[in-house]
Amino acid sequence: MKIDILTLFPNMFDGFLNESIIKRARDKNQVEINVYNIRDYSTNKHKKVDDYGFGGGRGMVLMPQPIFDAVESLKTDDSYVILMTPQGEKYNQKMAYTLKDKKHIIIICGHYEGFDERIRSLADIEISIGDYVLTGGEIPSMVITDSIVRLLDGVITKESYELESFNDELLDYPVYTKPVDFRGMKVPEVLLSGHHKNINEWRHNEQIKRTQARRPDLLEKR
Ligand code: ADE
């Protein structure tokens, strides 16, 4: 899988790409991630990428030319183009599972007060990571990339995510490690019993209880 990210702020990705699981996945060639500066594609002699919006009122608007040229230079028959915008479809785990099967993803990060409406025509999907507005699509693009990469074969163990929150529309069960008693807060007996059937039952019940208390909307979806 290859992920190409188009941004005006490539340095924002340094930490994200070079730490922890994403770094390891890149080092092992489980994913190729490239970050491209939209400005490099500007044909303007001053490398201009934005201008005032027609009709006034808003601030600077990203121009179509650099983004069209960037996408067209990277795109192949296997490409799937995502535009990050708070107006997009709200992201969830199911979408992460769909995206992990794409061969090539191009993510366009919007910025400033907005982008020229014609840029929308480049996208196969517009995605929002939630009902709040960030300064740009960079952090949202990292959120999407992270959620996809961890699902790729061999990046983390399958057990790490098969039972986790949002698979099966349930939140995760509680987990504990040593010590058995920490400041009077004890690990539930059943987890120390070694009785796998009881442990699985307890975990499933905890998932239901927790989902009911915190996210009843998920149970309704089930
Ligand atoms: N750009 C700014 N806010 C965003 C959001 N919530 N989701 C995706 N892209 C964004």
Side-chain angles (χ1 to χ4, degrees), residues 83-88 110 127-138 140-141:
L83 178 62
M84 300 312 312
T85 159
Q87 297 178 15
I127 297 179
S128 160
I129 59 160
D131 290 340
Y132 42 84
V133 182
L134 302 168
T135 53
E138 282 71 21
S141 77

Side-chain angles (χ1 to χ4, degrees), residues 92-195:
N92 60 32
Q93 188 65 21
K94 210 171 261 151
M95 290 159 82
Y97 274 101
T98 307
L99 292 177
K100 91 168 172 65
D101 292 327
K102 305 281 182 203
K103 283 205 181 88
H104 179 211
I105 290 174
I106 299 173
I107 308 182
I108 306 168
C109 305
H111 224 276
Y112 298 130
E113 270 83 328
F115 47 79
D116 187 286
E117 186 67 16
R118 291 164 288 192
I119 289 167
R120 293 211 137 93
S121 68
L122 288 170
D124 293 301
I125 188 172
E126 296 180 23
I127 297 179
S128 160
I129 59 160
D131 290 340
Y132 42 84
V133 182
L134 302 168
T135 53
E138 282 71 21
I139 291 170
S141 77
M142 291 183 221
V143 169
I144 306 282
T145 301
D146 190 286
S147 71
I148 296 169
V149 171
R150 66 191 289 285
L151 297 178
L152 297 178
D153 277 349
V155 172
I156 57 175
T157 60
K158 269 210 158 57
E159 301 84 69
S160 306
Y161 58 79
E162 268 182 351
L163 286 167
E164 73 193 356
S165 293
F166 301 117
N167 285 336
D168 214 16
E169 309 289 0
L170 287 177
L171 298 185
D172 215 349
Y173 51 75
V175 295
Y176 295 84
T177 183
K178 289 169 188 164
V180 168
D181 184 335
F182 180 70
R183 300 187 179 180
M185 297 179 277
K186 295 198 175 72
V187 175
E189 264 326 307
V190 62
L191 296 180
L192 311 173
S193 68
H195 194 301

